[in-house]
Amino acid sequence: MKRVEEELETQKAHIERLSEEKHTGGIIRILQMEYDRVNYMRKDYLRIRLRKIQKFDIDILSSDDVENLLNKAEIDFASGYLDLRERHFGKSFLHHIPDNYDSLTEKNMEVKPNMDEYVFFKATANVGTVNLGESGDAEINEGDIVVASYGHIKDILSSGMVH
């Protein structure tokens, strides 16, 4: 994400330099449209990421490798969100239901991600042969873009060999 933000800053500076020159109106409009498109996609990615953090906050925070999944600001956000949600639900209705259901952190109250959901990923290193379940085994090399169920690639994702 940092690389995308750096490229956006470079693009913005380039647009500002060109706007000082004559006869570059068409080029500036095209560059500005591209800047706006990439910036929108960046913001949309972050919105989706925050929505997933909110949806799976308990599962994420109880994970052993939470530092590999989220950056410091996202961990703070997830912790704060969970605290606010627990306080709100506690004041609203949790104190009216049976004791075995009055906590959001109980295992039966957790929302877990669907590990069978298919995801795209790109290999950043040679991974080797990976079992992709019903699809069989696949040789994954650096630069390959693959679609597989999240459950089958979760371990190599946390290793940093794919993203």
Side-chain angles (χ1 to χ4, degrees):
M1 188 53 56
K2 186 171 285 228
R3 196 172 90 202
V4 171
E5 290 171 352
E6 289 170 358
E7 288 296 323
L8 282 172
E9 287 299 318
T10 303
Q11 181 83 344
K12 189 72 167 172
H14 185 61
I15 291 169
E16 289 172 2
R17 273 193 314 274
L18 284 176
S19 66
E20 296 170 0
E21 298 176 14
K22 293 181 179 180
H23 309 295
T24 58
I27 294 171
I28 291 174
R29 281 193 286 279
I30 291 170
L31 291 174
Q32 185 66 46
M33 283 178 19
E34 178 66 9
Y35 173 85
D36 293 341
R37 184 187 70 81
V38 173
N39 196 34
Y40 173 81
M41 290 175 61
R42 179 186 67 87
K43 289 178 182 179
D44 193 46
Y45 167 79
L46 293 173
R47 275 191 294 270
I48 291 169
R49 189 163 170 88
L50 284 177
R51 195 174 321 127
K52 286 182 179 182
I53 290 171
Q54 289 173 331
K55 185 174 182 179
F56 304 117
D57 56 353
I58 297 171
D59 186 58
I60 291 171
L61 291 172
S62 64
S63 173
D64 293 335
D65 60 344
V66 68
E67 288 83 20
N68 293 334
L69 297 172
L70 306 176
N71 62 38
K72 170 97 171 80
E74 290 170 333
I75 292 171
D76 293 343
F77 172 79
S79 300
Y81 179 78
L82 178 60
D83 183 50
L84 285 173
R85 193 168 55 123
E86 283 180 332
R87 283 191 284 146
H88 171 69
F89 287 175
K91 289 178 182 176
S92 299
F93 63 86
L94 285 178
H95 64 280
H96 295 296
I97 60 177
D99 289 341
N100 56 335
Y101 295 107
D102 69 349
S103 173
L104 294 178
T105 56
E106 294 296 324
K107 288 293 179 196
N108 58 354
M109 300 291 280
E110 253 180 67
V111 178
K112 295 237 182 229
N114 181 1
M115 296 300 209
D116 295 329
E117 189 171 320
Y118 282 82
V119 295
F120 285 91
F121 65 92
K122 182 177 181 178
T124 55
N126 290 330
V127 177
T129 304
V130 176
N131 181 346
L132 299 178
E134 295 175 6
S135 303
D137 294 345
E139 180 75 24
I140 300 175
N141 298 310
E142 182 177 357
D144 289 351
I145 298 174
V146 182
V147 176
S149 75
Y150 178 73
H152 289 103
I153 61 126
K154 183 180 178 187
D155 294 334
I156 59 173
L157 183 63
S158 63
S159 74
M161 296 171 71
V162 299
H163 68 267

